[in-house]
Amino acid sequence: AATLGLSTQEAEAAQAFDASYDVVVCGSGCGGLASALFARWQGNSAVILEKAGSIGGTTAKAAFWYWVPDNEAMRKAGIADPKPDFLKYVARLSNPQGYDPTHPRYGFSQWEWDMCSAFYDSASPAAEVLARKGALPHRHVAEVPDYFAELPEDKAPKGRVLVPRDAIPSMADGGLVAVRTMSTKARQEGIPIRTGSPVKGLVNEHGEVTGVRVAGPDGESRVRARRGVV
């Protein structure tokens, strides 16, 4: 403990973990796979813990096309998707009781506004990075309409839909394709994917989440997350 600059209690806590990564991701669906990949590409070590015996979660069971505002293909096709209109549309759909078109944030709290704004700004760049690195190549399906395309707030009723490039025309197998390409890339990047590893809880030390408790055939283990749990 003296060598590490830790108290005895802190040293004992550090030694209690069975494995250690920068980022621990719970779940191997599209969100989990993408989170682990982006963590790795930013220089972090990562692990994916999946409770089921096979990977993919809900993504593997879904037709899976993804909805990306102001995506690169839209812009190339000349389809406008202005941010103020997008945020107004999302505010009406996600907060119908609080929606107010005259409010500066359309009835959103500041946190909700910032979250939806970040989604608009980041979704297309993220999709392009995934495609460029071979994790999730996609094709643009410009004619698929939004579910609520008839709402006047929706100024881009078509154009936001991307689908995994190798999915069949009906897109029914999109989820399987996405899981296959993203998990293949994750393994190429050295990210372990542990199936049969349900996360049972968080490890909290001095008010900070520092890892997770994982069930397994040989009992419970603990995995440290040096930078965060997703």
Side-chain angles (χ1 to χ4, degrees):
T3 303
L4 296 174
L6 300 174
S7 68
T8 301
Q9 184 178 11
E10 289 171 332
E12 289 175 351
Q15 293 168 2
F17 285 92
D18 301 284
S20 183
Y21 299 87
D22 292 322
V23 178
V24 174
V25 177
C26 307
S28 64
C30 181
L33 289 164
S35 296
L37 284 166
F38 278 110
R40 187 71 192 93
W41 292 333
Q42 292 174 2
N44 300 295
S45 62
V47 64
I48 299 172
L49 304 175
E50 169 57 53
K51 66 182 178 182
S54 58
I55 64 173
T58 303
T59 302
K61 303 173 184 177
F64 189 81
W65 53 87
Y66 44 115
W67 191 74
V68 181
D70 195 38
N71 63 66
E72 186 174 292
M74 289 179 74
R75 295 193 296 273
K76 288 180 178 178
I79 303 173
D81 193 5
K83 186 174 182 178
D85 292 314
F86 171 82
L87 290 171
K88 186 180 289 187
Y89 175 50
V90 171
R92 175 169 176 179
L93 287 178
S94 64
N95 185 30
Q97 292 178 318
Y99 174 61
D100 180 357
T102 67
H103 186 271
R105 297 189 302 272
Y106 310 131
F108 272 150
S109 68
Q110 187 64 56
W111 182 87
E112 291 167 333
W113 175 267
D114 291 344
M115 178 182 64
C116 293
S117 181
F119 175 68
Y120 178 92
D121 294 338
S122 303
S124 182
E128 295 310 316
V129 170
L130 288 166
R132 187 170 65 249
K133 288 182 174 286
L136 189 58
H138 61 252
R139 65 178 190 264
H140 187 218
V141 191
E143 293 306 309
V144 175
D146 281 1
Y147 290 145
F148 297 93
E150 74 280 2
L151 294 180
E153 288 85 357
D154 189 4
K155 305 303 182 186
K158 295 181 180 180
R160 298 188 181 111
V161 171
L162 304 176
V163 67
R165 184 188 61 198
D166 297 330
I168 60 177
S170 71
M171 302 185 281
D173 66 340
L176 290 173
V177 173
V179 170
R180 182 175 68 242
T181 61
M182 295 179 78
S183 63
T184 297
K185 187 63 178 177
R187 292 189 175 100
Q188 290 173 351
E189 295 284 357
I191 301 170
I193 305 175
R194 291 172 44 181
T195 56
S197 300
V199 172
K200 294 300 184 180
L202 299 172
V203 177
N204 191 306
E205 297 176 336
H206 309 297
E208 291 187 3
V209 173
T210 58
V212 297
R213 295 185 291 105
V214 186
D218 299 321
E220 189 172 279
S221 61
R222 298 188 352 149
V223 180
R224 176 176 287 283
R226 289 185 290 265
R227 303 195 67 179
V229 176
V230 179

